[in-house]
Amino acid sequence: MVTLIRYAKKADRDNRDDSLFDEVIFETVEPQTADSVIFTLDAAVEALGFGWFQFKLCMLLGLAWTADSMEMMVLSVLSPALQCDWHLDKWQQAMISTCVFSGMMISGAIWGYVGDRYGRKVSIILSVTMTAYFGLLSALSPVYSWMLILRGLVGIGIGGIPQNTTLLAEFLPTSVRGRAIIMNTLFWGFGCCLLVALSLLVMPTLGWRWLLGISPVPLALFLALAPLLPESARFHMARGRSDLAAATLTRIAKTNKKPLPDGTLIQSDATSRGSIRGLLSVSLRQTTFLLWFIWLSCSFCYYGLILLTTELLASGGPCTRIAAETNCGCQRLATADYVDLLVNALAEFPSILLSLPLIDLIGRKKCMATLFGLFSLSMFSLHACMHRTAMMVMLFAARCFVASVFQVAYVYTPEVYPTSVRAIGMGTCSTMSRIGAIITPFVAQVLLRAEPHAAIASYGLVSLLTGVAAMMLPIETKKRGLQEVHT
């Protein structure tokens, strides 16, 4: 028996504009009587193309990306302020970032499981709600211990925001999928710059509590618009809900003003979803292990560079011993430091111009390997004792390269995993990335103070190894359609 979903087109005499179809008909037929003209969900997505529906989805998910980057970027300006206000040791300062990343590590796979079992939309909305609520509460932290707890809970919420990429990828045709996901990271760059600009205005006068209270505003706006967020048609098909998948496709067709293909839509059988065993199947095992290492390294290098930039700007460079500069080690960021942080954050935008052509020109694997190599060169150059301006140029270049490689990883991961394990695949990769992020504060903030050159060399060596790992990935997803089930 084969379940077919037939789209009955409007009669020519019907001139109404409110629907592209009179009705959606579900019928179960014997294989030999099935219509000869059929189409798959992939064919429907390709036929509907990239239109107004996908554009609005990018804008809506972009709000969550903006808030995510703000909640992460705030760590670079919060730690120095708390060090002075609460007289924290360097390891205590690093623990603030580590608690956030620990929460993200704990929750990444959980949010992925929720996304595969109950829907991408459910996972995203729950994670955003948790991030906004505890982000606002952290502004009221009375003591250091409460700050650790509340920021850790914020991290648990942030762990689900990468599911945005899973949802977006499942609505995009193959020809534009890589470029559209990368372009959507503009919102991440915008959030980074917005947070630094707010810090420049708020921190000198109102302080860090006001900054933490303002940063969840984009999340609140996202939640207000959340009813407009669609659920993935691929998710509906994977769980055997053809009716909901048909309704979503019809909605896309109406919004993009394009018809669905003629014929009938094949209903795929419901499959087991959200299984770690699926990620470790023979066909995906090597890919999974390599991606876990790549994501761990991406996070270690990316967030390490952000924290490293703040420390190097405050100290004057790796050739300056900062441990003996003051009795208490308290170094508040000056206006010039905030300006330099803003300039460094602007590297998120040229990073898009770098990865956008490379990802389709040389493929995802070679693109990641090349960018890791360039990042490594930029980091090794920081060993030289150079003027502040030259140091800023190298930090800018490094930020550009590492942001680009993270963007490509966000494209490759949902492309390589099938629908049945795509969300948990993204979730486990997010979890592994947080292990790197947990480690990096102790390198960028603690080790840097004792042995600056050892800290810098750590990032260069890790990125070189990860470039090799990227080339070892067995699957290239350039011009490859999204798979529904793993073999």
Side-chain angles (χ1 to χ4, degrees):
M1 306 294 283
V2 179
T3 303
L4 300 175
I5 309 171
R6 187 186 306 279
Y7 293 87
K9 295 187 177 180
K10 294 166 56 175
D12 293 337
R13 65 179 180 273
D14 188 351
N15 295 320
R16 293 175 299 169
D17 294 327
D18 57 339
S19 176
L20 292 184
F21 307 99
D22 281 330
E23 57 182 339
V24 180
I25 303 173
F26 299 88
E27 54 184 346
T28 302
V29 299
E30 296 293 340
Q32 64 269 22
T33 64
D35 289 353
S36 58
V37 180
I38 60 175
F39 67 90
T40 64
L41 184 58
D42 274 334
V45 172
E46 296 296 326
L48 296 174
F50 186 93
W52 186 239
F53 177 91
Q54 286 79 6
F55 178 79
K56 290 191 295 184
L57 181 61
C58 287
M59 294 297 104
L60 183 55
L61 294 177
L63 283 174
W65 272 120
T66 298
D68 186 16
S69 65
M70 291 176 69
E71 292 294 337
M72 300 309 304
M73 191 68 188
V74 76
L75 297 174
S76 64
V77 297
L78 177 64
S79 295
L82 293 182
Q83 181 189 21
C84 294
D85 289 355
W86 289 347
H87 308 293
L88 304 180
D89 292 330
K90 209 63 181 177
W91 69 268
Q92 291 176 306
Q93 185 181 351
M95 277 299 297
I96 299 172
S97 300
T98 295
C99 282
V100 176
F101 293 126
S102 296
M104 297 167 75
M105 180 192 71
I106 293 170
S107 65
I110 296 174
W111 291 122
Y113 175 82
V114 172
D116 278 332
R117 295 288 296 180
Y118 304 105
R120 284 61 161 136
K121 180 177 179 178
V122 172
S123 180
I124 293 170
I125 291 177
L126 288 177
S127 65
V128 167
T129 302
M130 188 171 186
T131 304
Y133 179 72
F134 289 108
L136 186 60
L137 283 184
S138 65
L140 305 176
S141 300
V143 292
Y144 174 71
S145 57
W146 271 105
M147 177 63 73
L148 294 181
I149 294 171
L150 291 173
R151 294 311 292 183
L153 292 170
V154 168
I156 291 176
I158 294 176
I161 292 182
Q163 296 303 322
N164 289 357
T165 305
T166 301
L167 179 63
L168 179 61
E170 293 181 339
F171 282 109
L172 296 173
T174 303
S175 59
V176 301
R177 187 170 58 235
R179 286 172 289 166
I181 292 175
I182 289 178
M183 287 299 295
N184 208 47
T185 61
L186 280 170
F187 290 99
W188 178 277
F190 174 72
C192 290
C193 294
L194 179 60
L195 190 281
V196 177
L198 284 173
S199 300
L200 180 60
L201 296 174
V202 173
M203 290 293 286
T205 54
L206 299 176
W208 58 266
R209 293 187 186 276
W210 278 91
L211 184 65
L212 290 182
I214 294 172
S215 59
V217 169
L219 290 175
L221 182 58
F222 173 86
L223 291 174
L225 299 173
L228 302 176
L229 191 68
E231 183 55 89
S232 169
R234 293 181 185 275
F235 168 74
H236 287 317
M237 291 290 280
R239 65 194 287 249
R241 291 301 304 271
S242 308
D243 54 334
L244 298 179
T248 300
L249 290 175
T250 303
R251 176 182 173 185
I252 299 172
K254 291 169 63 177
T255 305
N256 288 359
K257 299 186 184 303
K258 289 185 178 181
L260 283 161
D262 292 330
T264 53
L265 173 66
I266 300 176
Q267 164 64 62
S268 59
D269 294 332
T271 60
S272 60
R273 308 182 308 280
S275 171
I276 294 290
R277 286 177 295 181
L279 296 179
L280 300 179
S281 63
V282 175
S283 60
L284 292 176
R285 186 180 302 141
Q286 182 180 349
T287 298
T288 296
F289 286 136
L290 287 172
L291 275 179
W292 284 352
F293 177 64
I294 289 170
W295 276 73
L296 185 152
S297 300
C298 278
S299 194
F300 175 79
C301 294
Y302 180 82
Y303 294 114
L305 181 66
I306 291 176
L307 297 174
L308 195 72
T309 300
T310 304
E311 296 294 323
L312 291 177
L313 290 177
S315 67
C319 298
T320 304
R321 285 286 179 179
I322 61 178
E325 284 186 354
T326 63
N327 292 329
C328 63
C330 172
Q331 296 165 322
R332 291 187 183 275
L333 296 178
T335 300
D337 296 327
Y338 285 115
V339 172
D340 286 339
L341 279 175
L342 179 59
V343 171
N344 185 260
L346 290 173
E348 298 283 343
F349 298 106
S351 71
I352 294 173
L353 299 178
L354 180 62
S355 57
L356 205 57
L358 286 179
I359 196 169
D360 287 325
L361 181 64
I362 64 176
R364 280 60 161 155
K365 293 166 52 178
K366 291 180 180 179
C367 188
M368 284 190 283
T370 301
L371 292 169
F372 269 123
L374 293 172
F375 173 77
S376 179
L377 290 175
S378 300
M379 294 305 295
F380 282 130
S381 69
L382 292 174
H383 284 294
C385 296
M386 60 183 69
H387 188 270
R388 182 184 176 101
T389 301
M391 183 178 69
M392 279 301 303
V393 171
M394 298 315 301
L395 289 171
F396 185 93
R399 177 75 173 265
C400 181
F401 296 138
V402 75
S404 293
V405 77
F406 226 149
Q407 292 160 10
V408 180
Y410 265 104
V411 173
Y412 180 86
T413 305
E415 286 182 335
V416 78
Y417 284 122
T419 300
S420 56
V421 293
R422 186 170 296 125
I424 198 168
M426 282 291 294
T428 55
C429 284
S430 177
T431 292
M432 295 304 296
S433 76
R434 306 318 168 188
I435 296 177
I438 289 170
I439 299 170
T440 206
F442 294 97
V443 177
Q445 294 176 318
V446 179
L447 180 60
L448 181 73
R449 178 173 289 268
E451 294 292 341
H453 293 286
I456 292 171
S458 299
Y459 294 106
L461 291 173
V462 168
S463 59
L464 280 179
L465 290 174
T466 313
V468 175
M471 291 304 299
M472 294 173 61
L473 287 166
I475 302 172
E476 173 57 68
T477 61
K478 176 184 174 182
K479 296 182 180 179
R480 177 177 180 260
L482 295 184
Q483 309 298 302
E484 295 303 319
V485 296
H486 63 275
T487 58

